[in-house]
Amino acid sequence: MRRALKQRVGRRQLIALETELLAELRAVKRRVPHLAGGLVASVDGLLVAHDTHGAEPSGLAAMTAASLSLAQRLADTTGQGEFRESVVRGEHGYVATYAAGGSCVLTLLAHPDVNVGRLHLEARRCARRIAELLNDALTPKDPRDPG
């Protein structure tokens, strides 16, 4: 994903995209009480952007891809359609993963007392915005377009 972005956009645009993605991660963190952090990863496990503390982001991105692959197969095998989201509830909190377009996923880490409904609402909005940002960055621009 990072390589594809580097090939299709300039360095300045890549930095701007990473800044926007980080802003989205921080915004969802502000909107959802008890959210510990999050990251955006490519579907093949490469870290794109993160706002995590206490979790190694590259390793978490790789594990996200592995869990995504299993969740996709599970949804497909059971006839549930395309993967949209997955939630793992552990003793000390939640790991929630949301599709962010066809090439990336959003993974959020939350404390056990998070409002899960609020988490889903805000994370789905954030995932859509991330997908839009990535799509805009990867869509070839018309050189005749002044904007």
Side-chain angles (χ1 to χ4, degrees), residues 125-145:
R125 288 179 184 159
C126 183
R128 280 192 301 273
R129 178 72 179 132
I130 289 169
E132 290 169 4
L133 291 169
L134 291 166
N135 188 47
D136 289 349
L138 293 171
T139 302
K141 303 292 184 240
D142 184 345
R144 297 169 291 175
D145 184 10

Side-chain angles (χ1 to χ4, degrees), residues 43-121:
V43 294
D44 54 355
L46 299 176
L47 183 65
V48 177
H50 75 93
D51 181 21
T52 57
H53 304 286
E56 200 281 306
S58 294
L60 184 56
M63 285 188 283
T64 293
S67 106
L68 171 66
S69 177
L70 182 59
Q72 286 172 327
R73 288 187 60 196
L74 184 61
D76 186 50
T77 300
T78 58
Q80 303 305 314
E82 238 181 280
F83 169 82
R84 293 286 183 250
E85 59 197 46
S86 166
V87 177
V88 174
R89 179 178 174 219
E91 180 181 355
H92 301 292
Y94 296 85
V95 179
T97 302
Y98 302 84
S103 61
C104 283
V105 292
L106 166 67
T107 295
L108 299 174
L109 308 174
H111 299 287
D113 46 355
V114 72
N115 179 323
V116 178
R118 178 78 180 266
L119 173 68
H120 284 316
L121 177 71

Side-chain angles (χ1 to χ4, degrees), residues 29-46:
K29 194 173 177 181
R30 283 190 306 273
R31 291 189 307 261
V32 180
H34 309 293
L35 192 61
L39 62 83
V40 177
S42 67
V43 294
D44 54 355
L46 299 176

